[in-house]
Amino acid sequence: AEAMLRQAIALDGSLRRAYNNLGLTLAALERDQEALIAFRQTGLSAQAAEQNLRNARRAVRLSEASSRLAMGLASRPDPPVR
């Protein structure tokens, strides 16, 4: 995803959505400084870019927790039928 987003940005540097998605991708990879730079390229203030980074990191943690819960539930045997 990162390579494709960087390619899109290289073709058209005005693609704010591509910069935002690059920021989300980099945040998921725990590359926070690069993510902040990408978020700032969308026109956000430093404070708003940092909030985007925090939100992205929360979303990653929530997604990971949800996946672990689903795997845990899937590994449990079905309850006995009464």
Side-chain angles (χ1 to χ4, degrees):
E2 179 187 355
M4 292 177 72
L5 290 165
R6 289 192 185 280
Q7 184 177 10
I9 290 166
L11 293 172
D12 183 352
S14 68
L15 296 173
R16 293 189 329 185
R17 182 172 286 164
Y19 277 111
N20 187 68
N21 289 339
L22 178 61
L24 295 172
T25 300
L26 294 168
L29 295 171
E30 298 183 7
R31 291 165 49 190
D32 294 353
Q33 290 307 310
E34 291 175 84
L36 286 171
I37 291 168
F39 288 139
R40 292 295 309 272
Q41 292 296 317
T42 67
L44 293 176
S45 67
Q47 183 178 8
E50 289 187 18
Q51 183 63 48
N52 267 17
L53 178 61
R54 285 191 296 273
N55 291 341
R57 303 285 269 153
R58 281 188 202 111
V60 168
R61 287 193 305 272
L62 180 59
S63 177
E64 289 170 352
S66 178
S67 293
R68 284 193 295 271
L69 176 61
M71 287 188 310
L73 292 174
S75 69
R76 293 178 56 192
D78 291 331
V81 178
R82 295 182 182 208

